[in-house]
């Protein structure tokens, strides 16, 4: 079915995003896979094209388009290339940007945002800890007040862009007695004494993304790097999770649809018993179901995109679209592997890599189980 949420400006922007992907990302995928990271050149080119500052006001180097549909378009085009690349860019331009723009002081925005938009600075978000993932209120990383700043101790794990981030938005406990109401956000910068990166984590999928552990040992963070209000970090995080989750949904269905399209082309060409495998009734029915399921999910995600753009996407609705899109994505990709037969299990085929890459989407940005818990609570259960 035709998608109706985009206008001519969005279509023109999509053409530019696709050109960037074809020129700067696709030819270098093997390099990214080998190095397990996106090199700085790709970031700088994205910044030059204006893709990293979509949520940033013009006075700080961004474009401040004020239309979330442009974020969705860029995320979709990158997701068609690789879910890994989409997660790396998404954390930066779609997740970190609202924290810096909404919560940053004038001095902070002038200091960080121009290089954030140009790709000279890469951002990461340090929330998840080794002792717990989805339970953000149980943070153990601490920050103690000292003269002119704070001393941060602790560690984070599974941090996308952690291997190269220049700015890390770190959630730390500043008042243990207050529980969730005693958490503050800090911007830890590359080069601060005591801030160290651990190994690049050896993941099942998303090999191109540099996912790392981060360690903070008596890191002095000046008062000028407190982001938002002291002890309101948990609220700041909750207020911005809807965008992270709808962004995840956008990427989920875009990646699945792209691989499904490639699979349809494959089963038209691949022959068994003297005929294309796609012509067998069972396979034909499977593909018909997959296409329908993808289009239904796309319509649901599009509705969430518009709702978020109009500032009416609730946390519960964001949870719904996040878990559903992740579930459908994984169902589609598993079926695509099956339709490829033995070749679907070979790393040289995109479908195999996409299948591995997608598995984490049911875990991150709040696991699907946590999403259902939120939905159930909202229903009074």
């Amino acid at each position: 079915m035709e998608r109706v949420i985009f206008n001519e400006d969005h279509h023109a922007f999509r053409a530019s995003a696709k050109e960037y992907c074809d020129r700067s990302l696709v030819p270098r995928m093997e390099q990214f896979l080998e190095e397990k990271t996106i090199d700085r050149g790709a970031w700088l080119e994205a910044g030059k094209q204006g893709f990293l500052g979509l949520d940033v006001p013009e006075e700080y180097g961004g474009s401040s388009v004020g239309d979330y549909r442009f974020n969705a378009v860029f995320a979709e085009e990158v997701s068609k290339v690789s879910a890994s690349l989409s997660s790396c860019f998404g954390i930066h331009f779609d997740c970190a940007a609202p924290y810096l723009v909404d919560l940053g002081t004038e001095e902070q925005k002038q200091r960080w945002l121009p290089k954030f938009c140009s790709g000279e600075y890469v951002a990461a978000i340090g929330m998840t800890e080794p002792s717990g993932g989805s339970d953000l209120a149980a943070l153990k990383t601490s920050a103690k007040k000292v003269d002119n700043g704070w001393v941060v101790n602790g560690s984070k794990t599974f941090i996308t862009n952690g291997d190269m981030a220049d700015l890390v938005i770190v959630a730390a406990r500043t008042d243990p007695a207050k529980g969730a109401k005693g958490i503050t956000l800090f911007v830890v910068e590359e080069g601060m004494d005591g801030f160290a990166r651990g190994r690049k984590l050896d993941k099942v999928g998303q090999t191109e993304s540099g996912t790392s552990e981060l360690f903070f040992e008596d890191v002095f963070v000046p008062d000028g790097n407190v982001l938002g209000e002291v002890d309101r970090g948990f609220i700041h995080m909750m207020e911005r999770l809807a965008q992270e989750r709808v962004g995840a949904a956008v990427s989920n269905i875009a990646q699945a649809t792209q691989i499904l399209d490639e699979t349809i082309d494959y089963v038209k060409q691949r022959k068994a018993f003297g005929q294309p495998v796609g012509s067998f009734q069972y396979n034909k029915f499977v593909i018909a179901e997959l296409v329908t399921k993808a289009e239904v999910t796309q319509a649901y995600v599009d509705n969430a995109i518009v709702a978020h753009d109009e500032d009416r996407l609730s946390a519960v609705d964001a949870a719904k679209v996040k878990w559903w899109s992740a579930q459908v994505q994984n169902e589609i990709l598993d079926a695509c592997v099956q339709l490829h037969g033995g070749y679907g299990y070979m790393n040289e085929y995109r479908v195999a890599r996409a299948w591995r890459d997608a598995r984490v989407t049911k875990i991150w940005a709040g696991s699907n189980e946590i999403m259902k818990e939120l939905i159930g609570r909202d229903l009074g259960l």
Side-chain angles (χ1 to χ4, degrees):
M1 295 181 67
E2 180 183 0
R3 300 174 67 186
V4 297
I5 68 169
F6 300 118
N7 60 35
E8 291 183 3
D9 290 337
H10 300 116
H11 295 317
F13 180 74
R14 185 182 298 277
S16 297
K18 185 178 186 306
E19 181 182 357
Y20 163 74
C21 291
D22 290 343
R23 183 184 65 249
S24 299
L25 300 182
V26 173
R28 302 161 75 183
M29 285 303 297
E30 292 304 318
Q31 173 194 339
F32 298 154
L33 284 164
E34 182 178 344
E35 297 177 355
K36 296 184 179 181
T37 193
I38 310 170
D39 72 18
R40 187 71 65 160
W43 286 96
L44 293 172
E45 183 62 26
K48 183 179 179 181
Q49 298 298 319
F51 298 128
L52 303 181
L54 297 174
D55 280 343
V56 178
E58 292 182 13
E59 59 264 36
Y60 306 115
S63 54
S64 190
V65 294
D67 183 342
Y68 187 75
R69 290 173 293 179
F70 286 98
N71 293 44
V73 166
F74 183 59
E76 287 176 358
E77 291 306 308
V78 177
S79 297
K80 292 175 185 178
V81 179
S82 161
S84 299
L85 305 190
S86 179
S87 66
C88 291
F89 283 118
I91 285 292
H92 180 92
F93 89 94
D94 201 41
C95 296
Y99 284 93
L100 299 174
V101 172
D102 298 345
L103 303 176
T105 65
E106 181 63 25
E107 186 277 332
Q108 288 173 337
K109 287 187 276 194
Q110 291 183 3
R111 178 157 44 114
W112 293 322
L113 288 177
K115 290 187 177 180
F116 175 95
C117 294
S118 69
E120 294 172 84
Y121 285 168
V122 172
I125 298 180
M127 296 182 185
T128 305
E129 298 188 347
S131 59
S134 297
D135 188 3
L136 296 178
L139 295 175
K140 293 185 178 180
T141 297
S142 66
K144 293 185 178 180
K145 189 71 180 77
V146 296
D147 290 342
N148 301 315
W150 301 76
V151 175
V152 176
N153 282 282
S155 63
K156 303 291 181 178
T157 194
F158 310 142
I159 306 304
T160 302
N161 294 339
D163 65 319
M164 66 185 307
D166 305 280
L167 306 173
V168 184
I169 300 170
V170 176
R173 187 168 299 285
T174 44
D175 191 339
K178 291 184 179 179
K181 296 181 179 180
I183 293 171
T184 302
L185 301 179
F186 300 88
V187 176
V188 175
E189 300 183 58
E190 165 67 11
M192 287 183 169
D193 289 341
F195 170 42
R197 308 172 198 275
R199 60 194 172 92
K200 288 183 185 178
L201 300 175
D202 184 16
K203 307 186 298 294
V204 170
Q206 302 220 5
T207 307
E208 308 97 307
S209 64
T211 307
S212 300
E213 300 166 311
L214 302 178
F215 301 98
F216 311 94
E217 184 175 355
D218 293 332
V219 179
F220 175 75
V221 181
D223 286 328
N225 281 39
V226 173
L227 192 60
E229 297 181 46
V230 172
D231 290 341
R232 285 182 60 84
F234 186 77
I235 294 173
H236 293 327
M237 290 187 286
M238 293 301 102
E239 290 173 340
R240 284 153 190 85
L241 278 176
Q243 179 150 322
E244 179 179 356
R245 287 169 179 163
V246 71
V250 168
S251 297
N252 293 348
I253 192 60
Q255 184 230 20
T257 300
Q258 175 64 29
I259 299 302
L260 177 56
D261 288 344
E262 294 176 16
T263 299
I264 292 171
D265 288 339
Y266 177 83
V267 298
K268 288 179 179 178
Q269 303 298 324
R270 178 70 176 175
K271 291 187 176 181
F273 305 102
Q275 63 186 95
V277 297
S279 66
F280 294 121
Q281 186 183 64
Y282 178 83
N283 290 342
K284 189 184 300 181
F285 282 11
V286 167
I287 293 168
E289 292 173 6
L290 296 177
V291 168
T292 305
K293 186 176 290 187
E295 291 189 6
V296 169
T297 302
Q298 185 68 73
Y300 187 33
V301 172
D302 283 354
N303 193 44
I305 291 170
V306 173
H308 183 60
D309 183 53
E310 297 175 352
D311 198 27
R312 55 182 177 81
L313 182 69
S314 69
V316 172
D317 285 341
K320 292 175 184 176
V321 75
K322 184 272 173 186
W323 91 258
W324 178 258
S325 64
Q327 183 66 32
V328 169
Q329 173 193 30
N330 277 268
E331 290 176 3
I332 289 174
L333 292 173
D334 190 72
C336 288
V337 168
Q338 192 72 18
L339 287 164
H340 276 75
Y343 291 104
Y345 204 63
M346 299 296 107
N347 282 327
E348 64 188 275
Y349 278 74
R350 271 169 51 84
V351 66
R353 299 196 298 270
W355 175 62
R356 295 201 320 268
D357 290 348
R359 184 56 183 85
V360 73
T361 66
K362 295 197 287 185
I363 299 172
W364 67 12
S367 69
N368 280 11
E369 291 76 17
I370 293 295
M371 298 301 95
K372 294 173 187 178
E373 177 69 20
L374 295 174
I375 297 164
R377 289 179 189 176
D378 185 65
L379 295 172
L381 302 175

